[in-house]
Amino acid sequence: MTTYDYDLFVIGAGSGGVRAARLTALGGKRVAIAEEHRVGGTCVIRGCVPKKLMVFASEYADMVEDARSYGWDIQPGAFNWTSFRGKLEAELDRLEGIYRSLLKNSGVETFDQRARLRRTGLNTG
C-alpha cells in the first residue's frame, strides 16, 4: 500500500474544499484533494449554476413576445433541449477548468477518485 504525507488532505472538491485546499497550499503546506466526480461541487456542477442557466433559458420565449410588441420582426421558435444541454455542459466544463487551474496553480495535488477515512487499528488511548 502506498503511503502519502500531507499537511491537509481534503475529501470533496466543492467550493469549500477547493478554497480550504488552495489557501492551505498557498500558506506553504503540502495539500491534496480527492473528488470522485467533477471538481466544483453540488452548487457549481449539479445545483445552483445549472438551475440558473435553465431559468435564464426559460425566459427567452417571453422576451420574443415582448420584442415583437416593440416592432421587432422575429418569430418564436421551439426550444432545443439537446442544444441547450450541450451549452450547459460546456459552461460546466469551463467552470470546472477554472477550479482545476486554481488548485494546480496553488500547488494542490488532485486525485480524481473516491476517498474515505479508514480506521487504522492504532490504539490511541
Side-chain angles (χ1 to χ4, degrees):
M1 175 186 225
T2 304
T3 59
Y4 300 94
D5 185 21
Y6 298 100
D7 296 302
L8 176 66
F9 191 96
V10 179
I11 298 175
S15 297
V18 168
R19 181 153 176 87
R22 285 183 54 241
L23 291 179
T24 303
L26 289 171
K29 302 297 182 184
R30 188 154 184 250
V31 180
I33 192 167
E35 176 56 57
E36 180 178 21
H37 299 293
R38 294 180 73 167
V39 173
T42 298
C43 182
V44 173
I45 302 300
R46 292 176 288 284
C48 307
V49 172
K51 180 215 46 135
K52 287 177 183 174
L53 293 174
M54 289 178 195
V55 168
F56 293 155
S58 73
E59 294 172 346
Y60 282 102
D62 292 338
M63 289 182 190
V64 169
E65 291 303 318
D66 288 346
R68 290 178 70 190
S69 70
Y70 283 96
W72 286 92
D73 185 17
I74 56 176
Q75 301 302 314
F79 179 75
N80 183 321
W81 173 255
T82 303
S83 176
F84 172 76
R85 184 68 186 194
K87 303 284 187 195
L88 173 66
E89 290 298 325
E91 178 61 7
L92 298 180
D93 290 345
R94 185 186 75 80
L95 293 172
E96 181 180 16
I98 290 170
Y99 274 90
R100 286 187 178 277
S101 291
L102 289 169
L103 288 167
K104 181 179 179 183
N105 294 339
S106 299
V108 176
E109 187 172 356
T110 302
F111 293 92
D112 293 326
Q113 57 192 323
R114 183 177 182 85
R116 60 187 172 98
L117 297 174
R118 189 181 100 187
R119 185 179 283 221
T120 63
L122 297 175
N123 186 355
T124 59

